[in-house]
Coordinates of all heavy atoms in Angstrom, one line a residue:
M8 N 0.8 -1.2 0.0 CA 0.0 0.0 0.0 C 0.9 1.2 0.0 O 1.8 1.4 0.8 CB -0.8 0.0 1.2 CG -1.8 1.1 1.3 SD -2.9 0.7 2.8 CE -3.9 2.1 2.8
Q9 N 0.6 2.1 -0.9 CA 1.4 3.3 -1.0 C 0.8 4.4 -0.2 O -0.4 4.6 -0.2 CB 1.5 3.8 -2.5 CG 2.5 4.9 -2.7 CD 2.7 5.2 -4.2 OE1 2.0 4.7 -5.0 NE2 3.7 6.0 -4.5
R10 N 1.6 5.1 0.5 CA 1.2 6.2 1.4 C 1.0 7.5 0.6 O 1.9 7.8 -0.2 CB 2.3 6.4 2.5 CG 1.7 7.1 3.7 CD 2.7 6.9 4.8 NE 2.3 7.8 5.8 CZ 3.1 8.3 6.7 NH1 4.3 7.8 6.8 NH2 2.7 9.1 7.6
T11 N -0.1 8.2 0.9 CA -0.3 9.4 0.2 C 0.5 10.5 0.9 O 0.4 10.7 2.1 CB -1.7 9.8 0.1 OG1 -2.4 8.7 -0.5 CG2 -2.0 11.0 -0.7
V12 N 1.2 11.4 0.2 CA 2.0 12.4 0.8 C 1.3 13.8 0.5 O 1.0 14.1 -0.7 CB 3.4 12.5 0.4 CG1 4.2 13.6 1.0 CG2 4.1 11.1 0.7
A13 N 0.9 14.6 1.5 CA 0.4 15.9 1.3 C 1.5 16.7 0.6 O 2.6 16.8 1.1 CB -0.1 16.5 2.5
T14 N 1.1 17.4 -0.5 CA 2.1 18.2 -1.2 C 1.8 19.7 -1.1 O 2.7 20.5 -1.1 CB 2.1 17.8 -2.6 OG1 0.8 17.9 -3.2 CG2 2.6 16.4 -2.8
S15 N 0.6 20.1 -0.9 CA 0.4 21.5 -0.9 C 0.3 22.0 0.6 O -0.1 21.3 1.5 CB -0.9 21.9 -1.6 OG -2.1 21.5 -0.8
L16 N 0.6 23.3 0.8 CA 0.5 23.9 2.1 C -0.9 23.7 2.7 O -1.1 23.4 3.8 CB 0.9 25.3 2.0 CG 1.1 26.1 3.3 CD1 2.2 25.4 4.1 CD2 1.5 27.6 3.0
E17 N -1.9 23.9 1.8 CA -3.3 23.8 2.2 C -3.6 22.4 2.7 O -4.2 22.3 3.8 CB -4.2 24.1 1.0 CG -5.6 24.4 1.4 CD -6.4 24.8 0.2 OE1 -6.1 25.9 -0.4 OE2 -7.3 24.1 -0.2
E18 N -3.1 21.4 2.1 CA -3.4 20.1 2.5 C -2.6 19.8 3.9 O -3.2 19.1 4.8 CB -2.8 19.1 1.5 CG -3.7 18.9 0.3 CD -3.1 17.9 -0.7 OE1 -1.9 18.3 -1.1 OE2 -3.7 16.9 -1.0
R19 N -1.5 20.3 4.0 CA -0.7 20.1 5.3 C -1.4 20.7 6.5 O -1.2 20.4 7.6 CB 0.7 20.6 5.1 CG 1.5 19.6 4.4 CD 3.0 20.0 4.3 NE 3.2 20.7 3.1 CZ 4.1 21.7 3.0 NH1 4.9 22.0 3.9 NH2 4.2 22.3 1.8
W20 N -2.1 21.8 6.3 CA -2.9 22.5 7.4 C -4.3 22.2 7.5 O -5.0 22.8 8.3 CB -2.7 24.0 7.2 CG -1.3 24.5 7.6 CD1 -0.2 24.7 6.9 CD2 -0.9 24.8 8.9 NE1 0.8 25.1 7.6 CE2 0.4 25.1 9.0 CE3 -1.6 24.8 10.2 CZ2 1.2 25.5 10.1 CZ3 -0.9 25.2 11.3 CH2 0.5 25.6 11.2
D21 N -4.8 21.2 6.7 CA -6.3 20.8 6.7 C -6.8 20.6 8.2 O -7.9 21.0 8.5 CB -6.5 19.7 5.8 CG -7.0 20.1 4.5 OD1 -7.2 21.3 4.2 OD2 -7.2 19.1 3.7
W22 N -6.0 19.9 8.9 CA -6.4 19.5 10.2 C -6.7 20.7 11.1 O -7.5 20.6 12.0 CB -5.3 18.6 10.9 CG -4.0 19.3 11.0 CD1 -3.0 19.2 10.1 CD2 -3.6 20.1 12.1 NE1 -1.9 20.0 10.6 CE2 -2.3 20.6 11.8 CE3 -4.2 20.6 13.3 CZ2 -1.6 21.4 12.6 CZ3 -3.5 21.4 14.1 CH2 -2.2 21.9 13.8
A23 N -6.0 21.8 10.9 CA -6.1 23.0 11.8 C -7.5 23.6 11.7 O -8.0 24.1 12.7 CB -5.1 24.0 11.4
D24 N -8.2 23.4 10.6 CA -9.6 23.9 10.5 C -10.5 23.2 11.5 O -11.6 23.7 11.8 CB -10.1 23.8 9.1 CG -9.4 24.6 8.1 OD1 -8.8 25.6 8.5 OD2 -9.5 24.3 6.9
H25 N -10.2 22.0 12.0 CA -11.0 21.2 12.8 C -10.6 21.4 14.3 O -11.2 20.7 15.1 CB -11.0 19.8 12.4 CG -11.4 19.6 11.0 ND1 -12.6 19.8 10.5 CD2 -10.6 19.4 9.9 CE1 -12.6 19.6 9.1 NE2 -11.4 19.4 8.8
G26 N -9.6 22.2 14.6 CA -9.2 22.4 16.0 C -10.2 23.0 16.9 O -11.0 23.9 16.4
A27 N -10.2 22.6 18.1 CA -11.2 23.2 19.1 C -10.8 24.6 19.6 O -11.5 25.2 20.3 CB -11.2 22.3 20.4
C28 N -9.6 25.1 19.1 CA -9.1 26.4 19.5 C -9.3 27.5 18.4 O -8.8 28.6 18.6 CB -7.7 26.3 19.8 SG -6.7 25.8 18.4
T29 N -9.9 27.2 17.4 CA -9.9 28.1 16.3 C -10.5 29.5 16.6 O -10.1 30.5 16.1 CB -10.7 27.6 15.0 OG1 -12.0 27.2 15.5 CG2 -10.0 26.4 14.4
A30 N -11.4 29.6 17.6 CA -12.0 30.8 18.0 C -11.3 31.5 19.2 O -11.7 32.5 19.7 CB -13.4 30.7 18.3
L31 N -10.2 30.7 19.7 CA -9.6 31.2 21.0 C -8.1 31.3 20.9 O -7.3 30.9 21.7 CB -9.9 30.2 22.1 CG -11.4 29.8 22.4 CD1 -11.5 28.6 23.2 CD2 -12.0 31.0 23.1
P32 N -7.6 31.9 19.8 CA -6.1 31.9 19.6 C -5.3 32.6 20.8 O -4.2 32.2 21.1 CB -5.9 32.6 18.3 CG -7.1 33.4 18.1 CD -8.3 32.7 18.7
D33 N -5.9 33.6 21.4 CA -5.2 34.4 22.4 C -4.9 33.5 23.6 O -3.9 33.8 24.4 CB -5.9 35.6 22.9 CG -6.0 36.7 21.8 OD1 -5.2 36.5 20.8 OD2 -6.7 37.6 21.9
L34 N -5.7 32.5 23.9 CA -5.5 31.6 25.0 C -4.3 30.7 24.9 O -3.7 30.4 25.8 CB -6.8 30.8 25.3 CG -6.8 29.9 26.4 CD1 -6.8 30.7 27.7 CD2 -8.1 29.0 26.5
F35 N -3.9 30.5 23.7 CA -2.8 29.6 23.4 C -1.4 30.1 23.3 O -0.5 29.4 23.1 CB -3.2 28.8 22.1 CG -4.4 27.8 22.4 CD1 -5.6 28.2 22.5 CD2 -4.1 26.4 22.5 CE1 -6.7 27.3 22.8 CE2 -5.1 25.5 22.8 CZ -6.4 26.0 22.9
Y36 N -1.4 31.5 23.3 CA -0.1 32.1 23.3 C 0.1 33.1 24.5 O -0.9 33.8 24.8 CB 0.1 32.9 22.0 CG 0.2 32.0 20.8 CD1 -1.0 31.7 20.1 CD2 1.4 31.3 20.5 CE1 -0.9 30.8 19.0 CE2 1.5 30.5 19.4 CZ 0.2 30.2 18.7 OH 0.4 29.3 17.6
N37 N 1.3 33.2 25.0 CA 1.5 34.1 26.1 C 2.0 35.5 25.6 O 2.8 35.5 24.6 CB 2.6 33.5 27.0 CG 2.1 32.3 27.7 OD1 0.9 32.2 28.1 ND2 2.9 31.2 27.7
A38 N 1.6 36.5 26.3 CA 2.2 37.8 26.0 C 3.4 38.0 26.9 O 3.5 37.5 28.0 CB 1.2 38.9 26.3
E39 N 4.3 38.8 26.5 CA 5.6 39.0 27.3 C 5.3 39.6 28.6 O 6.1 39.4 29.5 CB 6.6 39.9 26.5 CG 7.2 39.2 25.4 CD 8.4 40.0 24.7 OE1 8.9 40.9 25.4 OE2 8.6 39.7 23.6
D40 N 4.3 40.5 28.8 CA 4.1 41.1 30.0 C 3.2 40.4 30.9 O 2.8 40.9 32.0 CB 3.4 42.6 29.7 CG 2.2 42.5 29.0 OD1 1.8 41.4 28.5 OD2 1.6 43.6 29.0
E41 N 2.9 39.1 30.6 CA 2.0 38.3 31.5 C 2.8 37.7 32.6 O 4.0 37.3 32.4 CB 1.3 37.2 30.7 CG 0.2 37.7 29.9 CD -0.4 36.6 29.0 OE1 0.3 35.7 28.8 OE2 -1.5 36.8 28.4
S42 N 2.2 37.7 33.9 CA 2.9 37.1 35.0 C 3.0 35.6 34.8 O 2.2 34.9 34.0 CB 2.2 37.4 36.3 OG 0.9 36.7 36.3
K43 N 3.9 34.9 35.5 CA 3.9 33.4 35.5 C 2.6 32.8 35.8 O 2.2 31.7 35.3 CB 5.0 32.9 36.4 CG 6.4 33.1 35.9 CD 7.5 32.5 36.7 CE 8.9 32.7 36.2 NZ 9.9 32.1 37.1
G44 N 1.9 33.4 36.8 CA 0.7 32.8 37.3 C -0.4 32.9 36.2 O -1.1 31.9 35.9
V45 N -0.4 34.0 35.5 CA -1.4 34.1 34.3 C -1.1 33.1 33.2 O -1.9 32.4 32.7 CB -1.4 35.6 33.8 CG1 -2.2 35.7 32.5 CG2 -2.0 36.5 34.9
R46 N 0.3 33.1 32.9 CA 0.7 32.1 31.9 C 0.3 30.7 32.2 O -0.2 29.9 31.4 CB 2.2 32.1 31.7 CG 2.7 33.4 31.0 CD 4.2 33.3 31.0 NE 4.7 34.5 30.3 CZ 5.6 34.5 29.4 NH1 6.2 33.4 29.0 NH2 6.0 35.7 28.8
R47 N 0.6 30.3 33.5 CA 0.2 28.9 33.9 C -1.3 28.7 33.8 O -1.7 27.6 33.3 CB 0.7 28.7 35.3 CG 0.7 27.2 35.7 CD 1.1 26.9 37.1 NE 0.1 27.4 38.1 CZ 0.3 28.5 38.9 NH1 1.5 29.1 39.0 NH2 -0.7 28.9 39.7
R48 N -2.1 29.6 34.2 CA -3.6 29.4 34.1 C -4.0 29.4 32.7 O -4.9 28.6 32.4 CB -4.3 30.6 34.9 CG -4.2 30.4 36.4 CD -5.2 31.3 37.1 NE -4.7 32.7 37.0 CZ -3.8 33.3 37.8 NH1 -3.3 32.6 38.8 NH2 -3.6 34.5 37.7
K49 N -3.4 30.2 31.8 CA -3.8 30.1 30.4 C -3.4 28.8 29.8 O -4.1 28.2 29.1 CB -3.2 31.3 29.6 CG -3.8 32.6 29.9 CD -3.2 33.8 29.1 CE -3.1 33.6 27.6 NZ -2.4 34.7 27.0
E50 N -2.1 28.3 30.1 CA -1.7 27.1 29.6 C -2.6 25.9 30.0 O -3.0 25.0 29.3 CB -0.3 26.7 30.1 CG 0.7 27.4 29.3 CD 2.2 27.0 29.7 OE1 2.3 26.2 30.6 OE2 3.1 27.6 29.1
E51 N -3.0 25.9 31.3 CA -3.9 24.8 31.8 C -5.2 24.9 31.1 O -5.8 23.8 30.7 CB -4.0 25.0 33.3 CG -2.7 24.7 34.1 CD -2.8 25.0 35.6 OE1 -3.8 25.6 36.0 OE2 -1.8 24.7 36.2
A52 N -5.8 26.1 30.9 CA -7.1 26.2 30.2 C -6.9 25.7 28.8 O -7.8 25.0 28.2 CB -7.6 27.6 30.3
A53 N -5.8 26.2 28.1 CA -5.6 25.8 26.7 C -5.5 24.2 26.7 O -6.1 23.6 25.7 CB -4.4 26.4 26.2
K54 N -4.8 23.6 27.5 CA -4.5 22.2 27.5 C -5.8 21.4 27.8 O -6.0 20.4 27.2 CB -3.5 21.8 28.5 CG -2.1 22.2 28.0 CD -1.0 22.2 29.1 CE -0.6 20.9 29.5 NZ 0.6 21.0 30.4
R55 N -6.8 22.0 28.6 CA -8.0 21.4 28.8 C -8.8 21.3 27.4 O -9.5 20.4 27.1 CB -8.9 22.0 29.9 CG -8.5 21.7 31.2 CD -9.5 22.1 32.3 NE -9.6 23.6 32.3 CZ -8.8 24.4 33.1 NH1 -7.9 23.9 33.8 NH2 -9.1 25.7 33.1
I56 N -8.7 22.4 26.7 CA -9.4 22.5 25.3 C -8.8 21.5 24.4 O -9.4 20.7 23.7 CB -9.3 23.9 24.8 CG1 -10.2 24.8 25.7 CG2 -9.8 23.9 23.3 CD1 -10.1 26.3 25.3
C57 N -7.4 21.4 24.4 CA -6.7 20.4 23.6 C -7.2 18.9 23.9 O -7.3 18.1 23.1 CB -5.2 20.4 23.8 SG -4.4 21.9 23.2
G58 N -7.5 18.7 25.2 CA -8.0 17.4 25.7 C -9.2 16.9 25.0 O -9.5 15.7 25.0
R59 N -10.0 17.8 24.5 CA -11.2 17.5 23.8 C -11.2 17.8 22.3 O -12.3 17.9 21.7 CB -12.5 18.1 24.5 CG -12.5 19.5 24.6 CD -13.8 20.1 25.3 NE -13.7 21.4 25.6 CZ -13.9 22.4 24.8 NH1 -14.1 22.2 23.5 NH2 -13.8 23.7 25.2
C60 N -10.0 18.0 21.9 CA -9.9 18.5 20.4 C -9.8 17.2 19.5 O -9.0 16.3 19.8 CB -8.6 19.3 20.3 SG -8.3 19.8 18.6
P61 N -10.5 17.2 18.4 CA -10.5 16.0 17.6 C -9.2 15.8 16.7 O -9.0 14.8 16.2 CB -11.7 16.2 16.6 CG -11.9 17.7 16.6 CD -11.5 18.2 18.0
V62 N -8.4 16.9 16.7 CA -7.1 16.8 15.9 C -5.9 16.9 16.8 O -4.9 17.3 16.3 CB -7.1 17.8 14.7 CG1 -8.2 17.6 13.7 CG2 -7.3 19.3 15.3
V63 N -6.1 16.5 18.0 CA -4.9 16.7 19.0 C -3.6 15.9 18.5 O -2.5 16.5 18.6 CB -5.3 16.3 20.4 CG1 -5.6 14.8 20.5 CG2 -4.2 16.7 21.4
E64 N -3.8 14.8 17.9 CA -2.6 14.0 17.5 C -1.9 14.7 16.3 O -0.7 14.8 16.2 CB -3.0 12.6 17.1 CG -3.4 11.8 18.3 CD -2.4 11.7 19.4 OE1 -1.2 11.7 19.1 OE2 -2.8 11.6 20.6
Q65 N -2.7 15.2 15.4 CA -2.1 15.9 14.2 C -1.4 17.1 14.6 O -0.4 17.5 14.1 CB -3.2 16.1 13.1 CG -3.9 15.0 12.5 CD -5.2 14.6 13.1 OE1 -5.3 14.5 14.4 NE2 -6.1 14.3 12.3
C66 N -2.1 17.8 15.5 CA -1.5 19.1 16.0 C -0.2 18.9 16.7 O 0.8 19.6 16.5 CB -2.6 19.7 16.9 SG -2.0 21.3 17.6
R67 N -0.1 17.9 17.6 CA 1.1 17.6 18.3 C 2.1 17.2 17.4 O 3.3 17.6 17.5 CB 0.8 16.5 19.3 CG 2.0 16.2 20.2 CD 1.7 15.2 21.3 NE 0.7 15.7 22.2 CZ 0.2 15.0 23.3 NH1 0.8 13.8 23.6 NH2 -0.7 15.5 24.0
H68 N 1.8 16.3 16.4 CA 2.8 15.8 15.4 C 3.3 17.1 14.7 O 4.6 17.2 14.5 CB 2.2 14.8 14.5 CG 3.1 14.5 13.4 ND1 4.2 13.6 13.5 CD2 3.2 14.9 12.1 CE1 4.8 13.5 12.4 NE2 4.2 14.2 11.5
H69 N 2.5 17.9 14.3 CA 2.9 19.1 13.5 C 3.9 19.9 14.3 O 4.9 20.4 13.9 CB 1.7 20.0 13.1 CG 2.1 21.3 12.6 ND1 2.4 21.7 11.4 CD2 2.3 22.4 13.4 CE1 2.8 22.9 11.3 NE2 2.7 23.4 12.5
A70 N 3.5 20.2 15.6 CA 4.3 21.0 16.4 C 5.7 20.5 16.6 O 6.7 21.2 16.6 CB 3.6 21.3 17.7
M71 N 5.7 19.1 16.9 CA 7.1 18.5 17.1 C 7.9 18.5 15.8 O 9.1 18.8 15.8 CB 6.9 17.1 17.6 CG 6.2 17.1 19.0 SD 7.0 18.1 20.4 CE 8.6 17.1 20.5
A72 N 7.3 18.1 14.7 CA 8.0 18.0 13.4 C 8.4 19.3 12.9 O 9.5 19.4 12.3 CB 7.1 17.4 12.4
N73 N 7.7 20.4 13.2 CA 8.1 21.7 12.7 C 8.7 22.6 13.8 O 8.9 23.8 13.5 CB 6.9 22.4 12.1 CG 6.4 21.7 10.9 OD1 7.0 21.8 9.8 ND2 5.3 20.9 11.0
R74 N 9.0 22.0 15.0 CA 9.7 22.7 16.0 C 9.0 24.0 16.4 O 9.7 25.1 16.4 CB 11.1 23.0 15.7 CG 11.9 21.7 15.5 CD 13.3 22.0 15.1 NE 14.1 20.7 15.1 CZ 15.3 20.6 15.7 NH1 15.8 21.7 16.3 NH2 15.9 19.5 15.7
E75 N 7.6 24.0 16.5 CA 6.9 25.2 16.9 C 7.4 25.6 18.2 O 7.4 24.9 19.2 CB 5.4 24.9 16.9 CG 4.8 24.6 15.6 CD 4.7 25.8 14.7 OE1 5.0 27.0 15.2 OE2 4.2 25.7 13.6
L76 N 7.9 26.8 18.4 CA 8.5 27.3 19.6 C 7.5 27.9 20.6 O 7.8 27.8 21.8 CB 9.5 28.4 19.3 CG 10.7 28.0 18.4 CD1 11.7 29.2 18.2 CD2 11.5 26.9 19.2
Y77 N 6.5 28.5 20.2 CA 5.6 29.2 21.1 C 4.2 28.7 21.2 O 3.7 28.2 20.2 CB 5.6 30.7 20.6 CG 7.0 31.3 20.5 CD1 7.5 31.6 19.3 CD2 7.7 31.5 21.7 CE1 8.8 32.1 19.2 CE2 9.0 32.1 21.6 CZ 9.5 32.3 20.4 OH 10.8 32.9 20.3
G78 N 3.6 28.8 22.3 CA 2.2 28.5 22.5 C 2.0 27.0 22.9 O 2.9 26.2 22.9
V79 N 0.7 26.8 23.2 CA 0.3 25.4 23.4 C -0.2 24.8 22.1 O -0.9 25.3 21.4 CB -0.9 25.4 24.4 CG1 -1.5 24.0 24.6 CG2 -0.4 25.9 25.8
W80 N 0.4 23.6 21.8 CA 0.1 22.8 20.6 C -0.2 21.3 21.0 O 0.7 20.8 21.7 CB 1.2 22.8 19.6 CG 1.5 24.1 18.9 CD1 2.1 25.2 19.5 CD2 1.2 24.5 17.6 NE1 2.2 26.2 18.6 CE2 1.6 25.8 17.4 CE3 0.6 23.8 16.5 CZ2 1.5 26.5 16.2 CZ3 0.4 24.5 15.4 CH2 0.9 25.8 15.2
G81 N -1.2 20.8 20.5 CA -1.4 19.3 20.8 C -1.4 19.0 22.2 O -1.1 17.9 22.7
G82 N -1.8 19.9 23.1 CA -1.9 19.6 24.6 C -0.5 19.7 25.2 O -0.4 19.4 26.5
L83 N 0.5 20.3 24.6 CA 1.8 20.4 25.1 C 2.1 21.9 25.2 O 2.0 22.6 24.2 CB 2.8 19.6 24.3 CG 2.7 18.2 24.2 CD1 3.7 17.6 23.3 CD2 2.8 17.5 25.6
S84 N 2.7 22.3 26.3 CA 3.2 23.6 26.5 C 4.6 23.8 25.8 O 5.2 22.8 25.4 CB 3.4 24.0 28.0 OG 4.5 23.2 28.5
E85 N 5.0 25.0 25.7 CA 6.3 25.2 25.1 C 7.4 24.4 25.8 O 8.2 23.7 25.2 CB 6.7 26.7 25.2 CG 5.8 27.6 24.5 CD 5.9 29.1 24.8 OE1 6.9 29.4 25.5 OE2 5.1 29.9 24.4
N86 N 7.4 24.5 27.2 CA 8.4 23.7 27.9 C 8.3 22.3 27.7 O 9.4 21.6 27.6 CB 8.3 24.1 29.4 CG 8.9 25.5 29.7 OD1 9.7 26.0 28.9 ND2 8.4 26.1 30.7
E87 N 7.1 21.7 27.7 CA 7.0 20.3 27.5 C 7.5 19.8 26.1 O 8.1 18.8 26.0 CB 5.5 19.9 27.7 CG 5.0 20.1 29.1 CD 3.5 20.0 29.3 OE1 2.8 20.4 28.3 OE2 3.1 19.6 30.3
R88 N 7.2 20.6 25.1 CA 7.7 20.2 23.8 C 9.3 20.3 23.7 O 9.9 19.4 23.2 CB 7.1 21.1 22.7 CG 5.7 20.9 22.4 CD 5.2 21.5 21.1 NE 5.5 22.9 20.9 CZ 4.9 23.9 21.5 NH1 3.9 23.7 22.3 NH2 5.3 25.1 21.3
H89 N 9.8 21.3 24.4 CA 11.3 21.4 24.5 C 11.9 20.2 25.1 O 12.9 19.6 24.7 CB 11.7 22.7 25.1 CG 11.6 23.9 24.2 ND1 12.4 24.2 23.1 CD2 10.6 24.8 24.2 CE1 11.9 25.3 22.5 NE2 10.9 25.7 23.1
R90 N 11.2 19.9 26.2 CA 11.8 18.7 27.0 C 11.7 17.4 26.2 O 12.6 16.6 26.1 CB 11.1 18.5 28.3 CG 11.6 19.3 29.4 CD 11.1 18.8 30.8 NE 9.7 18.8 30.9 CZ 9.0 19.9 31.3 NH1 9.6 21.0 31.6 NH2 7.6 19.9 31.5
L91 N 10.5 17.2 25.5 CA 10.4 16.0 24.7 C 11.4 16.0 23.5 O 11.9 14.9 23.1 CB 8.9 16.0 24.1 CG 7.8 15.4 24.9 CD1 6.5 15.6 24.2 CD2 8.1 14.0 25.2
A92 N 11.7 17.1 23.0 CA 12.7 17.1 21.9 C 14.1 17.2 22.4 O 15.0 17.2 21.5 CB 12.4 18.4 21.0
G93 N 14.3 17.2 23.7 CA 15.7 17.2 24.3 C 16.3 18.5 24.0 O 17.6 18.6 23.9
R94 N 15.6 19.6 24.0 CA 16.2 21.0 23.7 C 16.2 21.8 25.0 O 15.3 21.5 25.8 CB 15.5 21.7 22.6 CG 15.5 21.1 21.3 CD 14.9 22.1 20.3 NE 13.6 22.4 20.5 CZ 12.6 21.9 19.9 NH1 12.8 20.9 19.0 NH2 11.3 22.3 20.1
Q95 N 17.0 22.7 25.1 CA 17.0 23.7 26.2 C 16.3 24.9 25.7 O 16.5 25.4 24.6 CB 18.4 24.0 26.7 CG 19.1 22.8 27.3 CD 18.6 22.6 28.6 OE1 18.3 23.4 29.4 NE2 18.5 21.2 28.9
R96 N 15.5 25.5 26.6 CA 14.9 26.8 26.2 C 16.0 27.9 26.3 O 16.9 27.9 27.2 CB 13.9 27.2 27.2 CG 12.6 26.4 27.2 CD 11.8 26.7 26.0 NE 11.6 28.0 25.6 CZ 10.6 28.8 25.9 NH1 9.6 28.3 26.6 NH2 10.5 30.1 25.4
T97 N 16.0 28.8 25.3 CA 17.0 29.9 25.4 C 16.3 31.2 25.6 O 17.0 32.2 25.7 CB 17.8 29.9 24.0 OG1 16.8 30.0 22.9 CG2 18.6 28.6 23.8
G98 N 15.0 31.3 25.6 CA 14.4 32.5 25.7 C 13.0 32.4 26.4 O 12.6 31.4 26.7
Ligands
LIG111 S1 -4.9 20.2 19.9 FE1 -5.1 22.2 21.0 S2 -3.8 23.6 20.0 FE2 -4.0 21.9 18.6 S3 -5.7 22.4 17.3 FE3 -6.6 21.2 19.0 S4 -7.2 22.8 20.5 FE4 -5.8 23.8 19.1

């Protein structure tokens, strides 16, 4: 069986249209002036939404494969993705 490879940018991002966060992008990214407490509460809220998202696996795979640096993706925070990838945060 031959595997189909997505070739266009549109095909590669198809899953994102089905994400549970499409109407809440601000919750998934931190602003520089936010306190650690606010960041942590936003991350926890975002991860709860990821927990009921139908495309969580595709999102996580995308984030890890493309080394997305910022925000919550696929139920993982920035720090969690860095740890999984064996990287150190530099900023
Ligand atoms: S897994 Fe989380 S970040 Fe990814 S599309 Fe779903 S809700 Fe959004």
Side-chain angles (χ1 to χ4, degrees):
M8 182 174 179
Q9 189 171 10
R10 200 166 167 200
T11 305
V12 178
T14 53
S15 74
L16 190 59
E17 193 174 297
E18 283 175 304
R19 279 184 270 151
W20 281 94
D21 262 358
W22 58 269
D24 291 339
H25 306 286
C28 62
T29 52
L31 305 162
D33 290 349
L34 183 61
F35 286 73
Y36 293 96
N37 296 316
E39 284 188 25
D40 60 349
E41 287 174 342
S42 69
K43 284 184 178 177
V45 169
R46 286 178 180 228
R47 193 182 68 247
R48 283 191 292 278
K49 283 177 64 179
E50 278 184 3
E51 288 168 359
K54 288 162 77 172
R55 280 195 297 275
I56 292 170
C57 294
R59 59 180 168 75
C60 179
V62 293
V63 65
E64 294 301 326
Q65 295 98 313
C66 181
R67 184 176 297 184
H68 174 77
H69 165 87
M71 295 303 293
N73 293 284
R74 298 176 170 230
E75 292 287 356
L76 294 177
Y77 304 108
V79 171
W80 290 75
L83 297 175
S84 68
E85 297 169 9
N86 286 335
E87 290 167 332
R88 290 196 311 280
H89 284 284
R90 275 198 300 275
L91 277 175
R94 295 189 302 262
Q95 293 289 321
R96 291 289 316 262
T97 56

